[in-house]
Amino acid sequence: MGRKVTVATCSLNQWALDFEGNCERILRSIEEAKAHGAKYRLGPELEICGYGCADHFYESDTLLHSFQVLRNLLESPVTQDIICDVGMPIMHHNVRYNCRVLFLNRKILLIRPKMMMANHGNYREVRWFSPWNKLRQVEEYFLPRMIQEVTGQDTVPFGDCVLSTKDTCIGTEICAELWNPDSPHIQMGRDGVEIFTNSSASHHELRKADQRVNLIKSATTKSGGIYLYANQRGCDGDRVYYDGCAMVAINGDVVAQGAQFSLDDVEVITATLDLEDVRSYRGELCQPQLESEFKPCHRVKVDFSLSGCDDVYLPTHQPIEWHFHTPEEEISLGPACWLWDYLRRSGQAGFLLPLSGGVDSSSTACIVHCMCVLLCRAVEGGNSRVLEDVRRVVGDESYHPQDPKELCARVFTTCYMASENSSEDTRNRARDLANQIGSTHMNINIDVAVKGILGIFSAVSGRWPQFRASGGSRRENLALQNVQARVRMVLAYLFAQLSLWARGRPGGLLVLGSANVDESLTGYFTKYDCSSADINPIGGISKTDLKCFLLHCAEQLQLTALRSILAAPPTAELEPLTDGRVSQTDEADMGMTYSELSVIGRLRKISKCGPFSMFCKLIHTWKDALSPSEVAQKVKRFFRMYSVNRHKMTTVTPSYHAESYSPDDNRFDLRPFLYNASWSWQFRCIDDQVTQMAANRAKH
């Protein structure tokens, strides 16, 4: 009867400007799609050049090489007899667009430019691309000569159009268009488009996956239809991790689901669906278009069918229940995959981490251990590319990883950097965790280096600074803490460069950071201290979530050493011990708890609150625990610390983006770094409000 169609979507681990690798992965996905009987293959957004090219989009080279890859795809026998939908940048009338190119059998069918741009958070698409704002309008695009030589075409349709095959109609959405309140699929569905596609480059954030799934289910619940979603996967060269989740849905139900986190560079999802199910679903819901101003979709016709003639016995995919990971699982998977991509693409031989025995550095260590677990599972599952990459990283062509602890020993070095202010408790906790995860562990004493630096200062100034506990001033106390922290950074990089050399092995190590998102908010770390590193897998994760993650690791991975780490109060251990015990704690230093900081961080960024509006919200949120004047003190203390330390965000270690309240200055949270830290006008408004509230209470 010709009513059942087999379609394919995919998640690809593309890399910005890796045209050769990107082309190879695209071809592999098309080959897999055809092997499963698909007649239509959808790929991620800007898959030819990679989504994260940033200002390289301005370069003519990026456009040129994208067309060269497109020519390779058109000429390949792999792309024959299947409609291929690929993404690349294209310049039309000297304007740059983010486009989908649909082609079949060496002919380009249409080019569809993106109409609604992603221009918030981590995204700056309007910086490089213009939106196509000519609704239902199509123009002629003059193909470059290198493409004309292959296709025999001079021009092709360019604009807001859909593809009409002999048996159905296919319409395109690109990433952010799905999230828009006026999504293109709404009008396309009302005009008879039956298959919607979405090529995306959507990054991972904790607790975000359900939003995507709900949007796609909702899109097809309202007016029926088949929806294909493709996404980028992996680290393509920046702070975000694209988390896959390719899927196919029909009439409000998901029928095929790809992995959210995986080490597979290519994952293809296919589904066989009955077009009559769409038509029956719409029979009751859809009414004829009655609007006088309605513009029908411009249809590009193609002499091709997605269905076969004899498909009555072909089984169709049935609805499935989507499995969502818990936040703790997301932390164990997303940053681990991101670290692996970064390691294998950086050409380095492993990681080095200053392991203090606290929650933050232990979280980073556990993420590396989770990475090793994933690598061993992938090799055991027959992933030859992962095995090849592991062998290259460890420098052993015969190596076959089987045990995560043994692999961890090869790629991960940890070091406890003790000073006279370090306790035996933290030293033991670091050692025990290193033993359980299998890292190569070192104990380093930094006192000689610290005294040497202070000796240089003393020789010049004639003064020797003292800790506050020994009668020193606040300035002396802070300077002595900073010296210890910065010495640790210098030593971390020294050991990262030379520790493998000392063991007779080639290569160097990437230094890992361990400052969480809440510390970054207040600047509760030393600029250029041991949190300064090459990359930081926990820089976008809150302390609260990290504690839950460590509890998850203790239970699921049997890392029992984490229980004592979780039980200990967070401390920097930069001030002298009292009777051999830690007297300095993070929360006392900051004047607020990490839980309070998470609330404040979300209000500052997500709710876009300044000091006064934050105070107005928190007097209700915290009314059971704090008085209005106490709330005012917390808010004012936070904004003083935030503004005084904001400059640290200009040099913060590149971090895995996992939270929508991240203070990352480089890509996500664009704000000044020199503030008037007195906030005189704003704080006066808060004080006036506190006074007024006290007066009102007195009256009643």
Side-chain angles (χ1 to χ4, degrees), residues 13 658 671:
N13 195 329
R671 302 184 187 226

Side-chain angles (χ1 to χ4, degrees), residues 134-209:
K134 302 175 182 179
L135 189 68
R136 301 288 183 267
Q137 292 185 42
V138 176
E139 298 176 356
E140 282 190 314
Y141 176 75
F142 286 82
L143 293 169
R145 277 176 293 182
M146 72 171 84
I147 303 299
Q148 292 180 22
E149 291 168 0
V150 177
T151 67
Q153 301 165 289
D154 294 328
T155 64
V156 294
F158 184 103
D160 180 15
C161 50
V162 298
L163 188 66
S164 186
T165 65
K166 294 171 74 173
D167 50 358
T168 188
C169 189
I170 306 166
T172 298
E173 287 189 324
I174 306 177
C175 199
E177 294 173 358
L178 170 64
W179 301 72
N180 193 281
D182 192 21
S183 296
H185 71 258
I186 298 171
Q187 292 300 325
M188 287 193 293
R190 297 171 75 181
D191 195 31
V193 173
E194 295 177 328
I195 300 175
F196 310 108
T197 68
N198 188 302
S199 52
S200 191
S202 181
H203 68 278
H204 170 242
E205 276 183 7
L206 296 177
R207 307 171 179 88
K208 173 187 169 184

Side-chain angles (χ1 to χ4, degrees), residues 558-623:
Q558 286 76 51
L559 301 177
T560 55
L562 294 173
R563 298 196 182 278
S564 61
I565 292 169
L566 284 165
T571 175
E573 286 197 329
L574 295 171
E575 294 188 34
L577 303 174
T578 303
D579 299 325
R581 311 294 295 179
V582 170
S583 58
Q584 176 192 29
T585 64
D586 294 353
E587 294 183 335
D589 280 357
M590 292 188 296
M592 58 195 78
T593 67
Y594 280 107
S595 296
E596 290 170 341
L597 262 179
S598 288
V599 175
I600 286 172
R602 287 180 167 85
L603 289 175
R604 181 198 71 95
K605 177 66 177 176
I606 302 172
S607 300
K608 301 173 179 62
C609 288
F612 181 71
S613 53
M614 184 180 291
F615 165 78
C616 291
K617 288 182 181 296
L618 288 177
I619 55 175
H620 299 290
T621 305
W622 291 346
K623 67 179 185 298

